[in-house]
Amino acid sequence: MNCDDLKDSYELYALGIAEEPERSEIAVHLERGCENCSAGVRKSMELVTMIAVTAPAAQPSRALRRRVVSLAQPERQVGWRWQLAMGLLTLGLLAVVAHSLNDNRRLGFALTALRQELRLSRESNSRMQGELSNARQVLEFLKLPETRQVTFGAGPKGRIFVNPGRGVLLLASSLPALGPGKTYEFWLIPKGKSPLPAGLFESNASGEAVHAAPNAAGVEHLAAVAISVEPEGGSPQPTSTPILVVNLSGML
Amino acid sequence: LVLEMAYFEGLSQTEMANRTKQPLGTIKTWVRGALQILRDELGEVVAA
């Protein structure tokens, strides 16, 4: 239910006689800090509090009236004012309590939102640290004088860098989008042997990917590297025709 | 009367219906009417 559906039940709620489902709905709105319902119920609380002043005055017996009047005569005005002051004070306190409860609820929501933001910031920070670390490794790899590279460009485009001591690095673009439950797998193909799995990777939304196969032993004996599309989790051997094979012979 | 029963005796609308032997719908109409009068009479005092 929205606030418009509930506004006719604010006084009933304030009186404690709202029926279901309105009672539960208003409670839910108040719980989540709905400003319309909070203001409406607060005003209704003030309104129904005023019911006290609508109670009909009782007529005392003559004897009682005489006794009370004779006893209270000097202080009659003070007593009436005192009652009015107490009534106003009670109303004021009710308003302060309602306002304070509302503030506490707002602060609670703000705190929850800030915690959520902090958690997202930490996750983002951790992800960026990981990306920075990868970028440093790539840069270091590229700077080494013994690193060799080969360019490829049919279909997926990019470069393969090979360093005898550090392994193989792939920089690729124009990679086709993957279907659900699929991943790219990188393969090292030694001369005269079966492909060796060299890690899984995914491309970004632009079809770009960076993948390192660090410390791959015997890169000097590699005939080629390849990329194939495999089921999520990868495969020990290619299960599909590779989308890219880059010949390394003559490079090493 | 219905507001007195609600406010001073703490009766729900269903309990008021049982007490007065009136249908619940009638009680609801009475309560709505009484609250409207209260709003008209005291609304300005509260708003102030």
Side-chain angles (χ1 to χ4, degrees):
Chain A
M1 288 185 178
N2 59 37
C3 303
D4 269 335
D5 298 328
L6 299 173
K7 66 182 180 187
D8 287 337
S9 303
Y10 290 155
E11 285 97 348
L12 300 176
Y13 185 86
L15 275 169
I17 59 170
E19 300 280 342
E20 293 295 349
E22 286 83 2
R23 180 171 50 189
S24 301
E25 283 289 334
I26 291 174
V28 168
H29 278 236
L30 294 179
E31 185 63 30
R32 70 169 185 237
C34 169
E35 289 187 6
N36 288 338
C37 290
S38 297
V41 170
R42 193 182 311 126
K43 193 171 174 189
S44 299
M45 291 290 280
E46 294 168 8
L47 186 70
V48 299
T49 304
M50 295 293 281
I51 291 175
V53 302
T54 68
Q59 281 296 326
S61 67
R62 277 176 186 275
L64 177 61
R65 181 182 170 82
R66 214 169 21 246
R67 273 174 55 202
V68 171
V69 168
S70 66
L71 285 171
Q73 187 71 36
E75 294 176 9
R76 188 174 53 174
Q77 291 299 316
V78 176
W80 177 82
R81 286 178 184 164
W82 176 250
Q83 279 187 3
L84 180 62
M86 285 300 286
L88 291 174
L89 183 63
T90 305
L91 280 179
L93 283 174
L94 278 173
V96 167
V97 167
H99 186 69
S100 165
L101 286 173
N102 200 32
D103 272 359
N104 282 345
R105 203 159 37 232
R106 263 206 307 273
L107 285 173
F109 281 116
L111 185 60
T112 306
L114 282 173
R115 281 186 177 142
Q116 174 83 352
E117 201 171 317
L118 180 61
R119 190 177 61 77
L120 291 174
S121 294
R122 280 181 177 154
E123 284 174 6
S124 169
N125 186 34
S126 165
R127 199 166 50 245
M128 287 172 74
Q129 288 285 352
E131 286 173 4
L132 184 61
S133 169
N134 286 344
R136 279 188 180 139
Q137 282 180 4
V138 168
L139 196 59
E140 200 174 327
F141 191 105
L142 298 180
K143 279 193 312 189
L144 294 170
E146 62 272 26
T147 298
R148 300 284 179 267
Q149 62 172 294
V150 60
T151 305
F152 54 90
K157 300 179 180 63
R159 290 178 186 200
I160 299 288
F161 298 87
V162 182
N163 183 292
R166 306 296 290 270
V168 182
L169 175 70
L170 162 76
L171 299 181
S173 63
S174 303
L175 288 166
L178 290 173
K182 297 288 185 184
T183 186
Y184 288 118
E185 187 155 6
F186 192 53
W187 303 96
L188 303 178
I189 309 173
K191 290 169 186 162
K193 293 189 178 172
S194 301
L196 302 171
L200 307 174
F201 65 95
E202 290 179 357
S203 60
N204 63 17
S206 307
E208 297 164 344
V210 177
H211 178 69
N215 305 320
V219 293
E220 59 273 20
H221 302 300
L222 287 178
V225 294
I227 300 171
S228 68
V229 176
E230 300 296 330
E232 211 166 23
S235 310
Q237 284 295 304
T239 60
S240 63
T241 305
I243 60 165
L244 175 75
V245 178
V246 180
N247 190 352
L248 301 181
S249 57
M251 171 188 171
L252 300 167
Chain B
L1 177 67
V2 281
L3 287 192
E4 278 183 31
M5 283 194 283
Y7 190 81
F8 295 105
E9 298 185 49
L11 297 187
S12 71
Q13 294 182 89
T14 308
E15 288 167 336
M16 287 180 224
N18 291 335
R19 166 84 68 88
T20 59
K21 306 216 177 343
Q22 294 290 333
L24 181 59
T26 305
I27 294 295
K28 287 185 174 181
T29 306
W30 287 354
V31 169
R32 256 199 305 274
L35 285 171
Q36 185 58 51
I37 293 169
L38 196 64
R39 239 179 266 141
D40 294 342
E41 294 293 326
L42 301 177
E44 285 184 16
V45 178
V46 172

